[in-house]
């Protein structure tokens, strides 16, 4: 349990730092596109085009953030094998706190009292969950359920990407939520994956859950990048927290045999609900409002400002 918790905390740190660096890279790329008055940077619905998202992905900040995401993925996968999903996914989702704190320094974001209070609620909920968590389930499931996981993941990522592109600039929170659901599917896939313990390559390559993990990881990364390009980093990350926490936590209990300590079920439920509510509150309060007289992102005035000020 202790090793699993430490692993989940390390994964959370990697994900939180990576999100802020990716936001810095995404916003820097968006300002460059706007400075060029490039019509190719947005779709007809006002969202980022595939080319602008690709350009954001090759900034050095975004690439470093992506490396941290991969490290976080490895640590998160290990945590998902060592802890109940409702605990591992929620601890990993605490990267919201790291994102918010680093965003103050790197993005020039000023957190309101409501946001700080919401972050405190999330931290308190994590303490409740860690106190209540019991042994994780076995993770052994029929192969048919692995196929269902793959189908659901493809539908989620494919349909979600289409909807986000149609909504354009209004899709920041939805894109964050869908990316979180993708990462949640990834966590479930890691938990049920065959051929890991003991290692058996043919079983691993023949398991549909492996391909669900790949689709969920790549699609979740793309949708998260879009969310960071068009919305608040705190709001997008909070929506991601809800997506990657709620569904995996429920599936872990109902499908994989995760449980709480005897007599602590109510504490686990309370901690889970409070954690999600706190994340939603951060998303609600985290949407930035332009300051009166402040230059708009992408304008020549904004492009001349330092990164952390222009991104605010």
């Amino acid at each position: 349990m202790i090793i699993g918790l430490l692993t989940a905390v390390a994964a959370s740190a990697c994900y939180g730092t990576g999100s802020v660096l990716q936001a810095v890279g995404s916003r820097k790329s968006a300002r460059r596109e706007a400075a060029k008055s490039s019509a190719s940077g947005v779709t007809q619905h006002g969202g980022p085009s595939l080319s602008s998202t690709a350009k954001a992905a090759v900034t050095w900040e975004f690439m470093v953030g992506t490396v941290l995401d991969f490290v976080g993925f490895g640590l998160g996968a290990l945590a998902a094998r060592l802890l109940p999903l409702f605990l591992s996914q929620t601890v990993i989702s605490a990267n919201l706190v790291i994102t918010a704190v680093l965003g103050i320094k790197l993005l020039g974001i000023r957190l309101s009292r409501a946001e700080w209070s919401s972050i405190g609620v999330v931290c308190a909920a994590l303490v409740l969950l860690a106190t209540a968590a019991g042994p994780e389930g076995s993770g052994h499931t029929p192969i048919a359920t692995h196929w269902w996981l793959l189908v659901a993941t493809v539908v989620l990522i494919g349909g979600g990407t289409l909807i986000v592109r149609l909504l354009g600039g209004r899709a920041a929170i939805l894109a964050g939520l869908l990316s979180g659901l993708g990462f949640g599917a990834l966590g479930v896939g890691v938990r049920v994956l065959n051929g890991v313990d003991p290692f058996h390559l043919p079983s691993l390559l023949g398991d549909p859950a492996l391909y669900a993990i790949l689709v969920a990881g790549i699609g979740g990364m793309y949708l998260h990048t879009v969310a960071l390009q068009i919305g608040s980093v705190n709001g997008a990350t909070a929506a991601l927290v809800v997506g990657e926490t709620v569904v995996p936590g429920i599936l872990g209990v109902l499908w994989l045999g995760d449980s709480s300590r005897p007599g602590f079920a109510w504490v686990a439920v309370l901690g889970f609900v409070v954690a999600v509510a706190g994340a939603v509150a951060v998303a609600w309060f985290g949407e930035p409002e332009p300051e009166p007289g402040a230059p708009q992102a992408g304008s020549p005035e904004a492009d001349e400002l330092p990164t952390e000020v222009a991104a605010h």
Side-chain angles (χ1 to χ4, degrees), residues 52-153:
S52 68
T53 301
K55 290 176 182 177
V58 296
T59 60
W60 74 264
E61 296 94 342
F62 196 97
M63 288 189 287
V64 172
T66 301
V67 170
L68 287 173
D69 276 347
F70 277 113
V71 174
F73 165 73
L75 294 170
L78 179 58
R81 305 282 297 196
L82 297 174
L83 298 171
L85 281 177
F86 70 81
L87 177 58
S88 66
Q89 294 301 109
T90 308
V91 172
I92 291 171
S93 295
N95 67 71
L96 173 67
V97 178
I98 298 169
T99 299
V101 173
L102 286 180
I104 296 172
K105 178 66 176 178
L106 297 181
L107 295 174
I109 295 173
R110 301 185 187 94
L111 298 183
S112 67
R113 182 175 300 177
E115 287 177 283
W116 279 117
S117 299
S118 301
I119 289 171
V121 167
V122 173
C123 293
L126 293 178
V127 174
L128 291 177
L129 279 171
T131 302
E136 73 278 5
S138 65
H140 297 304
T141 54
I143 195 67
T145 58
H146 296 207
W147 281 107
W148 279 113
L149 177 64
L150 175 59
V151 171
T153 302

Side-chain angles (χ1 to χ4, degrees), residues 134-255:
E136 73 278 5
S138 65
H140 297 304
T141 54
I143 195 67
T145 58
H146 296 207
W147 281 107
W148 279 113
L149 177 64
L150 175 59
V151 171
T153 302
V154 170
V155 171
L156 171 71
I157 296 299
T161 299
L162 177 61
I163 293 172
V164 166
R165 288 184 63 79
L166 289 175
L167 289 176
R170 299 170 295 168
I173 296 299
L174 177 62
L177 177 63
L178 289 170
S179 68
L181 290 172
F183 291 137
L186 187 154
V188 173
V190 167
R191 180 66 174 278
V192 303
L193 189 61
N194 294 327
V196 176
D197 186 20
F199 180 75
H200 186 246
L201 185 59
S203 297
L204 183 67
L205 296 178
D207 191 346
L210 174 64
Y211 304 100
I213 290 170
L214 295 176
V215 172
I218 295 171
M221 182 72 69
Y222 168 74
L223 289 169
H224 187 44
T225 302
V226 171
L228 292 175
Q229 284 183 287
I230 60 179
S232 156
V233 61
N234 289 337
T237 303
L240 183 150
V241 163
V242 175
E244 73 174 342
T245 303
V246 176
V247 175
I250 293 173
L251 289 178
V253 172
L254 299 180
W255 183 26

